[in-house]
């Protein structure tokens, strides 16, 4: 049971380039999330999804896009990379059949540097 | 805006010292409360959680946390820390609301244990 798998683990981008961070979970979780972690800032929610075909913005969605075509996959796309998007990105998933059961399983993270 | 505050940014302790990390939140009403831990080079994992019932919650590795509703607090404690407790600790809160299960994280507290 792999849990939440993120790829790539590291990536360096030039300003203006685009890329997709991949996230896959094999736990049949209906909820998935993308967070970014910056030093001294904690984790900020970028986008989340409560099920296939449904996505919604979090606290810091600007510059990012997501899609959720299947239960397992939740890719995060950066269209025009900017230095402000240098961060560590974490994908997470959870099952919440009833309100209050939300416990997140995190991926190992993707460290992105934009130069 | 809803927020989670962790006032201790970096705590340094000697082994066997007692630990208390503060967490305060600004939500009213019913909340779910969590502490997550990130050991060096690893991804975030759940340390303990509170949904309802006994306000004193016990987690893994000897950690516990107390929910004090009147103080909007959920402080993390451990009576005697070990070098292996060196990690970053994140408090997180959500308001139970089926279909809107988003966690808000604090900025984190880095804990360094000196052997």
């Amino acid at each position: 049971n792999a849990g939440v798998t993120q790829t790539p683990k590291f990536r360096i981008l030039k300003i203006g380039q685009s890329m997709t961070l991949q996230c896959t979970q094999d736990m049949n979780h209906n909820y998935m999330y993308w967070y970014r972690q910056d030093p001294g800032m904690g984790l900020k929610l970028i986008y989340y999804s409560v099920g296939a075909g449904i996505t919604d913005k979090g606290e810091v969605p600007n510059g990012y896009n997501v899609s959720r075509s299947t239960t397992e996959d939740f890719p995060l796309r950066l269209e025009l990379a900017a230095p402000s998007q240098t961060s560590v990105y974490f994908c997470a998933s959870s099952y919440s059949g009833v309100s209050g059961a939300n416990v997140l399983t995190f991926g190992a993270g993707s460290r992105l540097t934009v130069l | 805006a809803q927020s989670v505050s962790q006032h201790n940014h970096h705590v340094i302790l000697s082994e066997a010292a007692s630990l208390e990390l503060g967490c305060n939140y600004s939500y009213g009403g019913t909340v779910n409360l969590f502490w997550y831990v990130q050991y060096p080079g690893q991804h975030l994992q759940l340390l303990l959680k509170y949904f309802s019932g006994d306000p004193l919650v016990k987690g893994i590795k000897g950690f516990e946390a107390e929910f004090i509703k009147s103080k909007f607090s959920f402080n993390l404690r451990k009576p005697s820390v070990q070098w292996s407790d060196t990690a970053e600790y994140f408090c997180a809160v959500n308001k139970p609301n089926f279909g809107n299960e988003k966690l808000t994280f604090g900025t984190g507290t880095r804990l360094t244990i000196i052997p």
Side-chain angles (χ1 to χ4, degrees):
Chain A
N1 196 343
V4 178
T5 302
Q6 291 182 234
T7 57
K9 287 187 168 46
F10 303 94
R11 182 73 186 270
I12 298 175
L13 282 181
K14 294 182 179 179
I15 294 173
Q17 286 186 318
S18 62
M19 76 159 296
T20 300
L21 299 177
Q22 301 291 345
C23 177
T24 299
Q25 53 92 8
D26 62 359
M27 297 171 286
N28 201 32
H29 284 172
N30 46 352
Y31 291 175
M32 295 189 74
Y33 312 81
W34 274 105
Y35 286 89
R36 58 177 289 173
Q37 182 184 23
D38 300 297
M41 301 293 290
L43 282 82
K44 299 293 186 185
L45 182 64
I46 305 171
Y47 270 96
Y48 69 103
S49 168
V50 299
I54 306 169
T55 62
D56 207 348
K57 296 178 181 178
E59 300 173 79
V60 290
N62 292 343
Y64 306 95
N65 277 302
V66 293
S67 59
R68 184 92 183 270
S69 57
T70 66
T71 299
E72 295 79 19
D73 300 308
F74 191 42
L76 177 72
R77 182 152 181 88
L78 286 71
E79 292 292 350
L80 292 170
S84 60
Q85 293 177 306
T86 294
S87 187
V88 180
Y89 292 85
F90 287 98
C91 180
S93 71
S94 70
Y95 176 71
S96 185
V98 295
S99 179
N102 185 5
V103 174
L104 270 60
T105 299
F106 282 87
S110 299
R111 183 177 295 275
L112 176 66
T113 302
V114 182
L115 301 174
Chain B
Q2 300 161 340
S3 66
V4 179
S5 300
Q6 292 181 246
H7 301 294
N8 311 108
H9 298 294
H10 191 189
V11 174
I12 302 173
L13 294 172
S14 297
E15 276 194 316
S18 63
L19 169 72
E20 181 161 4
L21 301 182
C23 173
N24 290 89
Y25 60 93
S26 64
Y27 300 72
T30 303
V31 291
N32 296 327
L33 299 155
F34 306 80
W35 277 96
Y36 281 84
V37 60
Q38 187 176 27
Y39 296 105
Q42 297 186 28
H43 55 88
L44 284 91
Q45 56 189 286
L46 182 69
L47 196 57
L48 50 78
K49 63 184 186 293
Y50 171 81
F51 290 156
S52 63
D54 188 343
L56 184 61
V57 179
K58 295 192 184 300
I60 60 172
K61 303 187 180 184
F63 285 91
E64 64 179 30
E66 185 174 13
F67 170 49
I68 303 179
K69 188 173 183 178
S70 61
K71 294 185 178 180
F72 297 88
S73 70
F74 190 56
N75 292 355
L76 182 70
R77 300 195 294 246
K78 186 171 184 178
S80 177
V81 294
Q82 300 172 307
W83 177 79
S84 58
D85 294 326
T86 294
E88 191 153 17
Y89 293 80
F90 293 92
C91 181
V93 180
N94 81 346
K95 287 185 70 64
N97 181 12
F98 184 66
N100 190 26
E101 304 286 354
K102 296 184 292 181
L103 276 179
T104 298
F105 283 84
T107 53
T109 298
R110 185 189 305 174
L111 175 65
T112 301
I113 305 300
I114 301 171

